[in-house]
Amino acid sequence: MSETDDAQKTVVPAVAVTDIAEYRPHEEQIVRLETTYAKLVVDCSTSEGLANAKEVRVDIRDVRYALANTTKTALIPYQQKVKDAQARVNQVKEFGEALKDRVLAIEAPVDEAIKAEEKRAADAKAERERIEAERVEAIRAKITRFSSVAAAYASRSAADVANILQGVKESVILPEEYAEFEAEGTIARDNAIEQLETLQRSAVEREEAAAKLLAQQKELDELREKQRIADA
């Protein structure tokens, strides 16, 4: 194992900066190690070099072990302070929680009363909205029946159309029943009456045409029968 003169000349030991008295002797030892071994070239290829390397390692480890022991010793008073501080922290937390529980005991009934009232108001609002939705839906269903009745009776007989037309004409759009939809309901009913009247006229014309055609066919059949008898 060897160390060059140039390497030794360039070694600059680190400056001790700690204010912890217990570590100062160790810093001196570390400075010694840095000065002695920082630029050391280790050669373990020979038995002598290996033996020297082991001696160096022992020297370095002795400093490290001593440092570890000092750290344990130096920490004891601080660890106790930390332990005491943590105990105080726990006391503060526990006392704070106890005070909070006392406040909550006062707050809870007030908060519960407020929440109960808020829930009651929300439930009442939801019920009003449900009733309103059902009311509107029922009115809309009546208006829809007026709007769709003509299509439903498009292919029905004149008598059927007349019956439903009479029923629609007798329908009364009451303000208390249709409320804000009174005008819309009136328009839908009047449109339904107009459409059904058109359907009725068409049905009558269709049925009259069918009856006329049937009569003509009957008359033709009778003439054919008379001709057959005459030719016999």
Side-chain angles (χ1 to χ4, degrees), residues 20-42:
I20 302 174
E22 293 88 344
Y23 282 133
R24 287 173 187 161
H26 298 288
E27 283 192 316
E28 294 173 359
Q29 289 297 315
I30 293 171
V31 169
R32 178 183 64 79
L33 293 177
E34 291 172 339
T35 302
T36 305
Y37 302 124
K39 297 296 183 177
L40 180 66
V41 177
V42 179

PDB file of all heavy atoms in Angstrom, residues 20-42:
ATOM      1  N   ILE A  20     -22.219  20.973  18.452  1.00  0.00           N
ATOM      2  CA  ILE A  20     -22.505  19.924  19.430  1.00  0.00           C
ATOM      3  C   ILE A  20     -21.170  19.449  20.004  1.00  0.00           C
ATOM      4  O   ILE A  20     -20.354  18.838  19.296  1.00  0.00           O
ATOM      5  CB  ILE A  20     -23.262  18.756  18.782  1.00  0.00           C
ATOM      6  CG1 ILE A  20     -24.570  19.272  18.158  1.00  0.00           C
ATOM      7  CG2 ILE A  20     -23.555  17.665  19.803  1.00  0.00           C
ATOM      8  CD1 ILE A  20     -25.329  18.229  17.372  1.00  0.00           C
ATOM      9  N   ALA A  21     -20.953  19.740  21.284  1.00  0.00           N
ATOM     10  CA  ALA A  21     -19.649  19.485  21.902  1.00  0.00           C
ATOM     11  C   ALA A  21     -19.249  18.019  21.822  1.00  0.00           C
ATOM     12  O   ALA A  21     -18.062  17.700  21.631  1.00  0.00           O
ATOM     13  CB  ALA A  21     -19.676  19.949  23.365  1.00  0.00           C
ATOM     14  N   GLU A  22     -20.228  17.111  21.951  1.00  0.00           N
ATOM     15  CA  GLU A  22     -19.909  15.686  21.953  1.00  0.00           C
ATOM     16  C   GLU A  22     -19.271  15.230  20.642  1.00  0.00           C
ATOM     17  O   GLU A  22     -18.538  14.231  20.613  1.00  0.00           O
ATOM     18  CB  GLU A  22     -21.181  14.862  22.208  1.00  0.00           C
ATOM     19  CG  GLU A  22     -21.766  15.028  23.606  1.00  0.00           C
ATOM     20  CD  GLU A  22     -22.738  16.191  23.693  1.00  0.00           C
ATOM     21  OE1 GLU A  22     -22.733  17.048  22.777  1.00  0.00           O
ATOM     22  OE2 GLU A  22     -23.500  16.246  24.667  1.00  0.00           O
ATOM     23  N   TYR A  23     -19.558  15.950  19.557  1.00  0.00           N
ATOM     24  CA  TYR A  23     -19.057  15.523  18.246  1.00  0.00           C
ATOM     25  C   TYR A  23     -17.688  16.118  17.890  1.00  0.00           C
ATOM     26  O   TYR A  23     -17.067  15.681  16.918  1.00  0.00           O
ATOM     27  CB  TYR A  23     -20.056  15.904  17.154  1.00  0.00           C
ATOM     28  CG  TYR A  23     -21.245  14.979  17.078  1.00  0.00           C
ATOM     29  CD1 TYR A  23     -22.531  15.486  16.996  1.00  0.00           C
ATOM     30  CD2 TYR A  23     -21.078  13.601  17.076  1.00  0.00           C
ATOM     31  CE1 TYR A  23     -23.630  14.649  16.922  1.00  0.00           C
ATOM     32  CE2 TYR A  23     -22.167  12.752  17.008  1.00  0.00           C
ATOM     33  CZ  TYR A  23     -23.445  13.274  16.932  1.00  0.00           C
ATOM     34  OH  TYR A  23     -24.519  12.438  16.856  1.00  0.00           O
ATOM     35  N   ARG A  24     -17.248  17.105  18.629  1.00  0.00           N
ATOM     36  CA  ARG A  24     -16.009  17.777  18.241  1.00  0.00           C
ATOM     37  C   ARG A  24     -14.794  16.847  18.207  1.00  0.00           C
ATOM     38  O   ARG A  24     -14.002  16.901  17.257  1.00  0.00           O
ATOM     39  CB  ARG A  24     -15.764  18.970  19.170  1.00  0.00           C
ATOM     40  CG  ARG A  24     -16.718  20.131  18.869  1.00  0.00           C
ATOM     41  CD  ARG A  24     -16.627  21.240  19.867  1.00  0.00           C
ATOM     42  NE  ARG A  24     -17.684  22.239  19.625  1.00  0.00           N
ATOM     43  CZ  ARG A  24     -18.087  23.117  20.514  1.00  0.00           C
ATOM     44  NH1 ARG A  24     -17.529  23.135  21.722  1.00  0.00           N
ATOM     45  NH2 ARG A  24     -19.045  23.978  20.216  1.00  0.00           N
ATOM     46  N   PRO A  25     -14.612  15.968  19.216  1.00  0.00           N
ATOM     47  CA  PRO A  25     -13.478  15.033  19.127  1.00  0.00           C
ATOM     48  C   PRO A  25     -13.571  14.137  17.893  1.00  0.00           C
ATOM     49  O   PRO A  25     -12.552  13.814  17.271  1.00  0.00           O
ATOM     50  CB  PRO A  25     -13.587  14.223  20.420  1.00  0.00           C
ATOM     51  CG  PRO A  25     -14.341  15.095  21.360  1.00  0.00           C
ATOM     52  CD  PRO A  25     -15.322  15.834  20.500  1.00  0.00           C
ATOM     53  N   HIS A  26     -14.777  13.766  17.539  1.00  0.00           N
ATOM     54  CA  HIS A  26     -14.953  12.897  16.369  1.00  0.00           C
ATOM     55  C   HIS A  26     -14.648  13.657  15.086  1.00  0.00           C
ATOM     56  O   HIS A  26     -14.098  13.081  14.138  1.00  0.00           O
ATOM     57  CB  HIS A  26     -16.381  12.351  16.336  1.00  0.00           C
ATOM     58  CG  HIS A  26     -16.707  11.500  17.524  1.00  0.00           C
ATOM     59  ND1 HIS A  26     -16.193  10.244  17.712  1.00  0.00           N
ATOM     60  CD2 HIS A  26     -17.475  11.756  18.620  1.00  0.00           C
ATOM     61  CE1 HIS A  26     -16.643   9.742  18.845  1.00  0.00           C
ATOM     62  NE2 HIS A  26     -17.427  10.653  19.426  1.00  0.00           N
ATOM     63  N   GLU A  27     -14.991  14.925  15.059  1.00  0.00           N
ATOM     64  CA  GLU A  27     -14.647  15.722  13.888  1.00  0.00           C
ATOM     65  C   GLU A  27     -13.133  15.780  13.705  1.00  0.00           C
ATOM     66  O   GLU A  27     -12.629  15.708  12.577  1.00  0.00           O
ATOM     67  CB  GLU A  27     -15.212  17.136  14.027  1.00  0.00           C
ATOM     68  CG  GLU A  27     -16.707  17.215  13.742  1.00  0.00           C
ATOM     69  CD  GLU A  27     -17.184  18.639  13.606  1.00  0.00           C
ATOM     70  OE1 GLU A  27     -16.778  19.477  14.421  1.00  0.00           O
ATOM     71  OE2 GLU A  27     -17.964  18.906  12.672  1.00  0.00           O
ATOM     72  N   GLU A  28     -12.420  15.898  14.832  1.00  0.00           N
ATOM     73  CA  GLU A  28     -10.957  15.921  14.746  1.00  0.00           C
ATOM     74  C   GLU A  28     -10.432  14.607  14.173  1.00  0.00           C
ATOM     75  O   GLU A  28      -9.511  14.597  13.341  1.00  0.00           O
ATOM     76  CB  GLU A  28     -10.361  16.181  16.128  1.00  0.00           C
ATOM     77  CG  GLU A  28     -10.687  17.577  16.673  1.00  0.00           C
ATOM     78  CD  GLU A  28     -10.223  17.750  18.114  1.00  0.00           C
ATOM     79  OE1 GLU A  28      -9.665  16.767  18.674  1.00  0.00           O
ATOM     80  OE2 GLU A  28     -10.413  18.842  18.681  1.00  0.00           O
ATOM     81  N   GLN A  29     -11.041  13.504  14.611  1.00  0.00           N
ATOM     82  CA  GLN A  29     -10.629  12.204  14.092  1.00  0.00           C
ATOM     83  C   GLN A  29     -10.968  12.065  12.604  1.00  0.00           C
ATOM     84  O   GLN A  29     -10.195  11.498  11.826  1.00  0.00           O
ATOM     85  CB  GLN A  29     -11.311  11.080  14.886  1.00  0.00           C
ATOM     86  CG  GLN A  29     -10.791  10.911  16.300  1.00  0.00           C
ATOM     87  CD  GLN A  29      -9.318  10.515  16.307  1.00  0.00           C
ATOM     88  OE1 GLN A  29      -8.875   9.641  15.547  1.00  0.00           O
ATOM     89  NE2 GLN A  29      -8.525  11.190  17.154  1.00  0.00           N
ATOM     90  N   ILE A  30     -12.132  12.607  12.216  1.00  0.00           N
ATOM     91  CA  ILE A  30     -12.525  12.529  10.802  1.00  0.00           C
ATOM     92  C   ILE A  30     -11.593  13.366   9.946  1.00  0.00           C
ATOM     93  O   ILE A  30     -11.209  12.970   8.836  1.00  0.00           O
ATOM     94  CB  ILE A  30     -13.993  12.977  10.637  1.00  0.00           C
ATOM     95  CG1 ILE A  30     -14.919  11.962  11.319  1.00  0.00           C
ATOM     96  CG2 ILE A  30     -14.367  13.112   9.165  1.00  0.00           C
ATOM     97  CD1 ILE A  30     -16.354  12.405  11.413  1.00  0.00           C
ATOM     98  N   VAL A  31     -11.183  14.527  10.473  1.00  0.00           N
ATOM     99  CA  VAL A  31     -10.212  15.353   9.753  1.00  0.00           C
ATOM    100  C   VAL A  31      -8.906  14.577   9.573  1.00  0.00           C
ATOM    101  O   VAL A  31      -8.283  14.605   8.504  1.00  0.00           O
ATOM    102  CB  VAL A  31      -9.965  16.681  10.502  1.00  0.00           C
ATOM    103  CG1 VAL A  31      -8.760  17.421   9.907  1.00  0.00           C
ATOM    104  CG2 VAL A  31     -11.210  17.556  10.435  1.00  0.00           C
ATOM    105  N   ARG A  32      -8.526  13.857  10.629  1.00  0.00           N
ATOM    106  CA  ARG A  32      -7.308  13.033  10.530  1.00  0.00           C
ATOM    107  C   ARG A  32      -7.466  11.974   9.452  1.00  0.00           C
ATOM    108  O   ARG A  32      -6.558  11.754   8.632  1.00  0.00           O
ATOM    109  CB  ARG A  32      -7.013  12.373  11.885  1.00  0.00           C
ATOM    110  CG  ARG A  32      -5.776  11.462  11.862  1.00  0.00           C
ATOM    111  CD  ARG A  32      -5.576  10.777  13.189  1.00  0.00           C
ATOM    112  NE  ARG A  32      -6.663   9.866  13.516  1.00  0.00           N
ATOM    113  CZ  ARG A  32      -6.778   8.633  12.993  1.00  0.00           C
ATOM    114  NH1 ARG A  32      -5.891   8.189  12.104  1.00  0.00           N
ATOM    115  NH2 ARG A  32      -7.781   7.858  13.345  1.00  0.00           N
ATOM    116  N   LEU A  33      -8.640  11.319   9.435  1.00  0.00           N
ATOM    117  CA  LEU A  33      -8.864  10.282   8.422  1.00  0.00           C
ATOM    118  C   LEU A  33      -8.849  10.886   7.018  1.00  0.00           C
ATOM    119  O   LEU A  33      -8.290  10.293   6.082  1.00  0.00           O
ATOM    120  CB  LEU A  33     -10.207   9.590   8.674  1.00  0.00           C
ATOM    121  CG  LEU A  33     -10.320   8.756   9.953  1.00  0.00           C
ATOM    122  CD1 LEU A  33     -11.733   8.194  10.079  1.00  0.00           C
ATOM    123  CD2 LEU A  33      -9.294   7.623   9.970  1.00  0.00           C
ATOM    124  N   GLU A  34      -9.492  12.039   6.870  1.00  0.00           N
ATOM    125  CA  GLU A  34      -9.525  12.682   5.556  1.00  0.00           C
ATOM    126  C   GLU A  34      -8.121  13.063   5.104  1.00  0.00           C
ATOM    127  O   GLU A  34      -7.762  12.900   3.930  1.00  0.00           O
ATOM    128  CB  GLU A  34     -10.421  13.923   5.604  1.00  0.00           C
ATOM    129  CG  GLU A  34     -11.900  13.594   5.764  1.00  0.00           C
ATOM    130  CD  GLU A  34     -12.752  14.826   5.998  1.00  0.00           C
ATOM    131  OE1 GLU A  34     -12.202  15.869   6.421  1.00  0.00           O
ATOM    132  OE2 GLU A  34     -13.975  14.741   5.763  1.00  0.00           O
ATOM    133  N   THR A  35      -7.330  13.565   6.053  1.00  0.00           N
ATOM    134  CA  THR A  35      -5.961  13.971   5.716  1.00  0.00           C
ATOM    135  C   THR A  35      -5.107  12.762   5.356  1.00  0.00           C
ATOM    136  O   THR A  35      -4.302  12.791   4.419  1.00  0.00           O
ATOM    137  CB  THR A  35      -5.325  14.716   6.902  1.00  0.00           C
ATOM    138  OG1 THR A  35      -6.128  15.847   7.228  1.00  0.00           O
ATOM    139  CG2 THR A  35      -3.914  15.179   6.560  1.00  0.00           C
ATOM    140  N   THR A  36      -5.318  11.687   6.096  1.00  0.00           N
ATOM    141  CA  THR A  36      -4.454  10.511   5.933  1.00  0.00           C
ATOM    142  C   THR A  36      -4.885   9.622   4.776  1.00  0.00           C
ATOM    143  O   THR A  36      -4.038   9.121   4.021  1.00  0.00           O
ATOM    144  CB  THR A  36      -4.452   9.686   7.237  1.00  0.00           C
ATOM    145  OG1 THR A  36      -4.073  10.533   8.327  1.00  0.00           O
ATOM    146  CG2 THR A  36      -3.473   8.523   7.141  1.00  0.00           C
ATOM    147  N   TYR A  37      -6.204   9.438   4.614  1.00  0.00           N
ATOM    148  CA  TYR A  37      -6.654   8.391   3.696  1.00  0.00           C
ATOM    149  C   TYR A  37      -7.456   8.878   2.482  1.00  0.00           C
ATOM    150  O   TYR A  37      -7.813   8.074   1.615  1.00  0.00           O
ATOM    151  CB  TYR A  37      -7.526   7.387   4.452  1.00  0.00           C
ATOM    152  CG  TYR A  37      -6.825   6.740   5.626  1.00  0.00           C
ATOM    153  CD1 TYR A  37      -7.365   6.817   6.901  1.00  0.00           C
ATOM    154  CD2 TYR A  37      -5.624   6.054   5.445  1.00  0.00           C
ATOM    155  CE1 TYR A  37      -6.738   6.226   7.985  1.00  0.00           C
ATOM    156  CE2 TYR A  37      -4.981   5.462   6.529  1.00  0.00           C
ATOM    157  CZ  TYR A  37      -5.541   5.550   7.798  1.00  0.00           C
ATOM    158  OH  TYR A  37      -4.910   4.960   8.857  1.00  0.00           O
ATOM    159  N   ALA A  38      -7.770  10.152   2.411  1.00  0.00           N
ATOM    160  CA  ALA A  38      -8.657  10.606   1.339  1.00  0.00           C
ATOM    161  C   ALA A  38      -8.111  10.266  -0.040  1.00  0.00           C
ATOM    162  O   ALA A  38      -8.855   9.904  -0.950  1.00  0.00           O
ATOM    163  CB  ALA A  38      -8.911  12.106   1.458  1.00  0.00           C
ATOM    164  N   LYS A  39      -6.811  10.385  -0.229  1.00  0.00           N
ATOM    165  CA  LYS A  39      -6.200  10.116  -1.533  1.00  0.00           C
ATOM    166  C   LYS A  39      -5.412   8.809  -1.529  1.00  0.00           C
ATOM    167  O   LYS A  39      -4.536   8.595  -2.371  1.00  0.00           O
ATOM    168  CB  LYS A  39      -5.266  11.268  -1.913  1.00  0.00           C
ATOM    169  CG  LYS A  39      -5.971  12.606  -2.087  1.00  0.00           C
ATOM    170  CD  LYS A  39      -6.952  12.554  -3.247  1.00  0.00           C
ATOM    171  CE  LYS A  39      -7.611  13.907  -3.462  1.00  0.00           C
ATOM    172  NZ  LYS A  39      -8.520  13.895  -4.628  1.00  0.00           N
ATOM    173  N   LEU A  40      -5.742   7.956  -0.593  1.00  0.00           N
ATOM    174  CA  LEU A  40      -5.016   6.692  -0.452  1.00  0.00           C
ATOM    175  C   LEU A  40      -5.291   5.772  -1.633  1.00  0.00           C
ATOM    176  O   LEU A  40      -6.438   5.627  -2.068  1.00  0.00           O
ATOM    177  CB  LEU A  40      -5.447   6.009   0.852  1.00  0.00           C
ATOM    178  CG  LEU A  40      -4.773   4.667   1.160  1.00  0.00           C
ATOM    179  CD1 LEU A  40      -3.281   4.871   1.418  1.00  0.00           C
ATOM    180  CD2 LEU A  40      -5.434   4.017   2.367  1.00  0.00           C
ATOM    181  N   VAL A  41      -4.251   5.176  -2.154  1.00  0.00           N
ATOM    182  CA  VAL A  41      -4.385   4.174  -3.211  1.00  0.00           C
ATOM    183  C   VAL A  41      -4.261   2.805  -2.558  1.00  0.00           C
ATOM    184  O   VAL A  41      -3.210   2.453  -2.016  1.00  0.00           O
ATOM    185  CB  VAL A  41      -3.305   4.351  -4.299  1.00  0.00           C
ATOM    186  CG1 VAL A  41      -3.436   3.246  -5.350  1.00  0.00           C
ATOM    187  CG2 VAL A  41      -3.419   5.722  -4.938  1.00  0.00           C
ATOM    188  N   VAL A  42      -5.329   2.025  -2.591  1.00  0.00           N
ATOM    189  CA  VAL A  42      -5.360   0.728  -1.916  1.00  0.00           C
ATOM    190  C   VAL A  42      -4.908  -0.354  -2.889  1.00  0.00           C
ATOM    191  O   VAL A  42      -5.448  -0.480  -3.986  1.00  0.00           O
ATOM    192  CB  VAL A  42      -6.774   0.425  -1.388  1.00  0.00           C
ATOM    193  CG1 VAL A  42      -6.802  -0.931  -0.698  1.00  0.00           C
ATOM    194  CG2 VAL A  42      -7.218   1.521  -0.436  1.00  0.00           C
TER     195      VAL A  42
END
